[in-house]
Amino acid sequence: MTLDAIDADRFHRRPMPPPPAASADRAWRGLALSVPALAHCAALGGRLLDADRLLLVRNAQLHSFAGLATMLAEGRVVLRGAGLPVRDHAPLGALATWLSWEWFRADTVVQHALGLILLVAVGAALFDLLRAARASAPIATIATLAFALHPCAADLSAPLAGRDALLALLFSLLAARRALAASPPAAVAWSAAAALTAGLCAPGYGLLGLVPAGFVRPRPARRVAFAAAALATLAALALTRGADRLMPSLLAVSAENTASLLAWIPSPTPLIAMTAAARVSLAGMLPLIFAALALGLATRTDDPDDVAFLRAGAAAMIASMLAAGLAGTALVVGGTSSLALHLGFVLAATGIVRAHGASLGRWARPWMLVAFALPAALTVHRVRHWSMEDSVLHALADRRAEDPEGSLARARLELRRGRLAAAAPWCVRYALAQPGTGRADGCIGAMAAARGDHPGAVVLLRRWASALGDRRALRAASLELSEALPDPRFSEAFREATGYALPQRRPGETR
C-alpha cells in the first residue's frame, strides 16, 4: 500500500465533524432551555413560604425512615399531631420530598433550585419529543419556549409543592419519546407505565399516560394503549386513595377545585389561581371544550404526525381537568394543573403548524424569539411574587371568608402591619377551625401576655415555638409578633417559653 493510500485510509477512519444540521439543532435546543432557566431563576432568591416550611421543616415524617415508610404506605403527607394535610396522596412525590430534605434540609436556594432543574428537564424532554416526532428545530424551540415561559409555569417552579406535578410531566414526556420508537407492545407498556408513574407522583396526573398513547401506531395498538393508560390511571388512584373511597375522589372533579385551571390565563396578576379558587366551578369545562376541538381537527388531518400531536394535546387537556379536580386537599391551592393544560395547547398547536415547518425553517432566526419577551416578563413577575410572603398572604386572604388558611393569612398580614388587636379575631377564628395545628398559638399567646396571663402565654408560646422546628423560621415569626406587640411582658414570656431573647431586626433588614 502506498503512503498516499495509508493517509487516505487514516483520513476516512477519523471521526467526522457533526453536520451543520446537528450543530444548528443543538443551538436551537440550547436557546429553548437557557431562556426559561434565566426567567425562572428569580425563584432562587426567594424564601421558603409558610406552606413550604409545613411541608419540610414541620413535617416529622420526613425526618426518619419510619416516617418515609408511613408516607409510602398511606400515600399522604400529614402534619402529625394536627391532622393537617400538606400534600395530597402522592407516594413518589412524597419520596422525592423526603430525599430533598435528607440531602439538603431547609437550604432555601437548593430547594428552589430543584424545582428549576425539574422545569428545565421537562423542557428538554418536550424538545426531544417534538424533534423525534419530526417537528423542525425552530418549531420545537418555539413550542418549548411557549411552554416554559408561560406564566403558569411559575406556579410549579417557585413553590416546593409544584415539584410533584413537574415529576409527573417529566415521566410522561420521557415515556412518549420512548413510545415513538418502540414496537407496538412496548409502546403500550410505556403508556401504562407513564400513567401509573405520573399518578403516583401527583394526584390525578395518571391520565398523562394518554400522551404517549397518542403517538402509538398502528390504530389497534393505539386503542390498546389508551385502554392500558386508563386502567393504570385507575390503579394509581386506587393505590393513593388512602382511607377514601375511589368514586368520591372522582366526583371531586366536578367541584370548585377546577377553578385552579384559571392560572392558565396569562394575567399580570400573580397567583390568580389562589385568588380565584372556589369561585368559578365551571373552569373544568374549558379543557373538555378545547380537547373536543383538537380531536375534531385530528379527524380532518391527513399527516399521521400532526394527528398524533393533536391526540396527545387533547389527552393532556383532559388530564389537567382530572388533576385540578383532585387537588383539593392541598394546604395551598395553586395552579399546578394549569401547566398540564398548557402542555395540551402546545402539543395541539404544534400539530396545527407543523405542516408549515419547511417554510418556517427557511425564514426563522433566533432573534425573532424576541416576541417571547412579554410572556417571559410576566413569568418573572409571577415567580418573584411567589417568593414574596406578602403576595401569597394577600392571595390567600382574598379567598372565601370561611377558609381557615384565609383567616390565618389575614391575621399574619395584620401582624406584619404591627396591629395585634386587628389580628386577634382572625387568630382565634383559625384556632377554632384548626384546633390541633397550633399555628395561631403565637398570636394568641401574645394576646395572653398583653392581658397579663403569663402562665397561659408561656404554654402557648412553647407549643408554637416547638412546632416551628427551625430557628430561622422561629426568628421570622417572632419578629412579626414582637413588632406588633412591643411589650416587656411578651418578651419575658417568650424567653421563658423558648430560652431565647426576642430577636431584633438587623440594620437594613426588610420586613
Side-chain angles (χ1 to χ4, degrees):
M1 182 179 292
T2 64
L3 187 59
D4 291 337
I6 293 174
D7 289 339
D9 183 66
R10 288 178 179 173
F11 174 78
H12 287 297
R13 291 182 183 178
R14 291 176 188 159
M16 299 295 292
S23 300
D25 195 78
R26 284 196 297 270
W28 282 108
R29 189 176 190 271
L31 183 65
L33 301 181
S34 60
V35 174
L38 291 174
H40 287 269
C41 72
L44 300 180
R47 302 175 181 177
L48 290 181
L49 302 176
D50 189 42
D52 296 335
R53 291 194 177 278
L54 280 174
L55 186 63
L56 286 176
V57 180
R58 295 183 62 183
N59 185 4
Q61 285 181 296
L62 294 179
H63 306 164
S64 66
F65 281 101
L68 174 63
T70 303
M71 285 191 299
L72 295 180
E74 296 180 356
R76 171 173 286 184
V77 179
V78 178
L79 190 63
R80 289 298 168 188
L84 181 66
V86 294
R87 175 98 72 153
D88 287 306
H89 299 302
L92 292 183
L95 174 61
T97 302
W98 185 85
L99 290 174
S100 72
W101 169 261
E102 290 297 319
W103 290 341
F104 309 114
R105 301 300 181 187
D107 191 304
T108 304
V109 176
V110 177
Q111 291 292 346
H112 283 302
L114 292 176
L116 175 62
I117 292 170
L118 273 176
L119 180 69
V120 174
V122 172
L126 175 61
F127 184 92
D128 294 342
L129 171 63
L130 296 175
R131 292 294 287 131
R134 297 197 303 124
S136 66
I139 290 180
T141 300
I142 292 172
T144 304
L145 290 176
F147 171 78
L149 288 182
H150 194 285
C152 70
D155 297 338
L156 280 78
S157 67
L160 302 190
R163 298 189 305 204
D164 293 355
L166 285 175
L167 277 174
L169 288 167
L170 178 60
F171 286 135
S172 63
L173 290 173
L174 291 175
R177 173 65 182 87
R178 299 290 295 181
L180 269 174
S183 62
V188 172
W190 279 111
S191 301
L196 182 61
T197 304
L200 295 179
C201 285
Y205 276 75
L207 280 184
L208 284 176
L210 298 176
V211 173
F215 290 96
V216 175
R217 298 174 190 164
R219 179 178 296 181
R222 182 165 59 250
R223 291 174 177 172
V224 175
F226 279 130
L231 291 175
T233 300
L234 291 176
L237 289 173
L239 289 171
T240 59
R241 72 181 187 274
D244 302 331
R245 290 182 295 175
L246 183 61
M247 287 309 297
S249 298
L250 293 177
L251 291 176
V253 176
S254 62
E256 298 168 335
N257 302 328
T258 51
S260 63
L261 291 169
L262 294 177
W264 176 81
I265 300 173
S267 167
T269 303
L271 315 178
I272 185 172
M274 295 172 62
T275 305
R279 290 183 183 174
V280 184
S281 59
L282 296 179
M285 296 299 296
L286 293 177
L288 292 179
I289 294 172
F290 287 110
L293 291 175
L295 292 175
L297 286 174
T299 60
R300 301 184 178 185
T301 304
D302 298 327
D303 190 290
D305 291 315
D306 297 340
V307 174
F309 279 121
L310 289 166
R311 283 194 303 258
M317 295 175 193
I318 296 173
S320 70
M321 186 193 67
L322 181 63
L326 296 182
T329 60
L331 177 65
V332 176
V333 177
T336 57
S337 54
S338 61
L339 191 59
L341 172 62
H342 188 56
L343 174 64
F345 280 112
V346 169
L347 291 174
T350 302
I352 295 173
V353 305
R354 202 188 67 86
H356 305 286
S359 59
L360 284 175
R362 284 194 297 269
W363 61 260
R365 297 294 183 272
W367 63 265
M368 295 181 180
L369 298 178
V370 70
F372 285 96
L374 178 59
L378 291 177
T379 300
V380 173
H381 180 65
R382 193 177 288 193
V383 170
R384 284 176 55 84
H385 276 271
W386 267 113
S387 65
M388 298 163 61
E389 190 75 29
D390 279 354
S391 296
V392 179
L393 290 176
H394 277 292
L396 286 171
D398 286 341
R399 301 178 69 190
R400 54 189 177 187
E402 64 270 20
D403 188 345
E405 292 304 314
S407 298
L408 187 61
R410 290 182 177 91
R412 290 195 59 200
L413 285 171
E414 296 295 346
L415 287 175
R416 293 166 80 89
R417 295 167 184 153
R419 300 188 298 203
L420 178 63
W426 297 111
C427 293
V428 173
R429 187 170 186 170
Y430 177 84
L432 293 175
Q434 300 283 352
T437 67
R439 295 172 67 201
D441 283 352
C443 174
I444 300 175
M447 291 189 295
R451 293 196 308 266
D453 183 8
H454 180 77
V458 170
V459 171
L460 289 168
L461 291 173
R462 182 174 292 134
R463 185 173 75 155
W464 170 73
S466 62
L468 287 172
D470 181 49
R471 290 190 61 179
R472 288 175 294 182
L474 175 60
R475 181 181 184 277
S478 58
L479 279 174
E480 286 185 2
L481 291 175
S482 63
E483 291 172 350
L485 180 64
D487 191 316
R489 292 175 295 181
F490 173 62
S491 178
E492 181 182 352
F494 181 86
R495 182 189 295 274
E496 183 176 340
T498 65
Y500 301 113
L502 272 176
Q504 301 294 323
R505 199 171 293 277
R506 303 183 187 96
E509 182 181 1
T510 59
R511 288 180 178 269

